[in-house]
Amino acid sequence: AQSVAQPEDQVNVAEGNPLTVKCTYSVSGNPYLFWYVQYPNRGLQFLLKYITGDNLVKGSYGFEAEFNKSQTSFHLKKPSALVSDSALYFCAVREVADDYKLSFGAGTTVTVRA
Amino acid sequence: IAGITQAPTSQILAAGRRMTLRCTQDMRHNAMYWYRQDLGLGLRLIHYSNTAGTTGKGEVPDGYSVSRANTDDFPLTLASAVPSQTSVYFCASSDWSGRARNEQFFGPGTRLTVL
């Protein structure tokens, strides 16, 4: 079975400071990993994904994530947070061998204060 | 239409009533999905469809049914709504070429309240 854990319900940072949202996963095989962002009363928007290759993945809006196989982690990062980054962030995992099931974490609410 | 549309935006429904949530996509994606989002639980897959004419059960399928008569539409039906089905429902789609590596695109959601 595959699963995702986002250990922090909330992350609060000051604008201009680095932002990290943590994600760990569990799969029996190789993973595909995704990050999505949800703004209030909106659907989820795709940010970035890890499929294979370089462990550092760059995505939309200046976000990046690092795949760490030994620690089974895929933390989302942004060097300098903006107030507009305040949103709900979801990590998701899919096993390479599984065609349809995408498992989501519970989500982390990010608040960036001015 | 651009992307995925869902209707209605929100609905209050009496328990025991039948309800169909509509989902239409214009991206010609062959795979479509229905999720429910509940606080603290993230998104859970209800049903999915790999291609028109086929459907499959997800993580929480009980009390829900789907059909996929064509590529664009993927309605979700609650035959007899119960209060535990109060949730926000998201439809999503993805391109099936390349299978598991492709990201899913989400609609704006339907907020359903069952009283």
Side-chain angles (χ1 to χ4, degrees), chain A residues 15-26:
Chain A
E15 188 172 35
N17 283 0
L19 170 63
T20 298
V21 186
K22 295 180 180 177
C23 171
T24 59
Y25 66 90
S26 175

Side-chain angles (χ1 to χ4, degrees), chain A residues 18-97:
Chain A
L19 170 63
T20 298
V21 186
K22 295 180 180 177
C23 171
T24 59
Y25 66 90
S26 175
V27 296
S28 55
N30 291 318
Y32 291 145
L33 293 153
F34 304 81
W35 274 103
Y36 288 84
V37 60
Q38 184 181 30
Y39 298 101
N41 300 313
R42 302 286 295 277
L44 276 70
Q45 296 179 27
F46 169 74
L47 277 178
L48 51 79
K49 64 182 177 184
Y50 170 80
I51 301 301
T52 187
D54 195 346
N55 289 343
L56 184 64
V57 178
K58 294 187 182 296
S60 306
Y61 312 120
F63 283 94
E64 59 187 29
E66 186 165 11
F67 171 63
N68 188 317
K69 188 172 184 177
S70 63
Q71 297 185 6
T72 62
S73 67
F74 190 56
H75 301 330
L76 181 71
K77 299 180 181 181
K78 186 171 184 179
S80 179
L82 301 172
V83 172
S84 57
D85 293 329
S86 299
L88 181 58
Y89 291 80
F90 290 100
C91 181
V93 67
R94 171 183 266 158
E95 286 201 42
V96 170

Side-chain angles (χ1 to χ4, degrees), chain B residues 4 7-8 12 15 21 25 35-36 43 48 57 60 69-70 73 77 91 96 104 106-108:
Chain B
I4 299 178
I12 299 174
L21 308 184
Q25 53 108 355
Y35 293 89
R36 58 178 290 172
L43 277 76
Y48 68 96
K57 294 182 179 180
V60 288
N70 57 61
D73 301 300
T77 297
C91 180
W96 201 233
Q104 295 179 11
F106 285 79

Side-chain angles (χ1 to χ4, degrees), chain B residues 32-51:
Chain B
M32 296 188 74
Y33 315 83
W34 273 105
Y35 293 89
R36 58 178 290 172
Q37 182 181 21
D38 302 290
L39 191 63
L41 296 177
L43 277 76
R44 293 179 292 169
L45 183 66
I46 303 171
H47 285 287
Y48 68 96
S49 169
N50 290 343
T51 188

